[in-house]
Amino acid sequence: KETNYLKLLENIRKSIHEGRKVFIFGAPYQFKELCEVMAGNNKKMELQKGSLVLMGGGWKSFVGEAIDRDTLVNMLTNALGIPSQMVLEGYSMTEINTLMLRCEHGRFHIPPLVEPVIFDKELNPLGGKDLKGTFGFLDPLAVSYPGFIISGDYVHFVDGECNCGLTGPALTEIGRLPGSEIKGCGGIMGSIQA
């Protein structure tokens, strides 16, 4: 695994040397491992201005290894020389055609294209603007699968104005439903090597 991270770092170094911006996508645990490899091999980099890091997949398969987001962002800014505002986090899944980006105030804003529905334990739809329950959604762009999905994610849903300037539905907390199987992006990422 470390050899693969070192190969990745060599490719990033080449891109920096050629004056290219870099876009790196991965799960949070992978970025943590990357920073640990960099620290262990005394490697630091200064990514070109405009480079971007995007995290997705959460810690669903790595709860025991999880660190808080601010600590991980600090590790990335120190290791890669990237401003913290260029470390983005998104929430999505294979069954949805959009990415919900996390704003600086911790909300994963749901695009207007998606119609969110929050369910109670008996899978009855809940009404309101501040809810906790199972996340479901209607995706009008779905063509190869049903356009209405009830996920295995337990969320805190809010609907209203955010300090970032956006107004509308958003998720502030995302986790797996108790007793549900770990699968999806986090499970897939956990089953493969870097």
Side-chain angles (χ1 to χ4, degrees), residues 24-35:
I24 310 170
F25 172 76
Y29 84 91
Q30 290 174 312
F31 283 113
K32 179 183 175 212
E33 289 176 347
L34 177 68
C35 290

Side-chain angles (χ1 to χ4, degrees), residues 59-157:
W59 292 97
K60 293 174 188 170
S61 297
F62 301 90
V63 176
E65 302 170 41
I67 58 174
D68 67 83
R69 185 181 192 283
D70 290 339
T71 300
L72 183 55
V73 170
N74 286 336
M75 288 171 72
L76 287 164
T77 58
N78 290 332
L80 299 173
I82 189 169
S84 61
Q85 66 268 23
M86 298 306 283
V87 179
L88 303 178
E89 185 176 359
Y91 171 66
S92 190
M93 58 191 77
T94 56
E95 299 87 1
I96 197 168
N97 289 296
T98 61
L99 174 69
M100 296 167 232
L101 279 177
R102 181 186 186 273
C103 75
E104 66 270 20
H105 299 283
R107 289 187 181 192
F108 292 89
H109 290 279
I110 301 172
L113 178 71
V114 174
E115 183 67 34
V117 181
I118 308 304
F119 296 91
D120 66 14
K121 289 179 183 178
E122 288 78 37
L123 297 182
N124 296 308
L126 298 170
K129 294 187 177 276
D130 190 350
L131 307 168
K132 289 188 177 184
T134 303
F135 181 57
F137 56 89
L138 177 65
D139 180 357
L141 294 181
V143 292
S144 62
Y145 53 86
F148 185 74
I149 301 289
I150 299 175
S151 76
D153 289 346
Y154 184 82
V155 299
H156 182 190
F157 168 86

Side-chain angles (χ1 to χ4, degrees), residues 21-62:
K21 294 183 266 187
V22 176
F23 170 61
I24 310 170
F25 172 76
Y29 84 91
Q30 290 174 312
F31 283 113
K32 179 183 175 212
E33 289 176 347
L34 177 68
C35 290
E36 289 168 347
V37 167
M38 290 179 78
N41 288 279
N42 201 21
K43 292 186 181 283
K44 276 184 124 174
M45 297 187 177
E46 194 77 28
L47 297 182
Q48 294 290 329
K49 185 176 182 178
S51 292
L52 178 65
V53 168
L54 176 60
M55 297 185 286
W59 292 97
K60 293 174 188 170
S61 297
F62 301 90

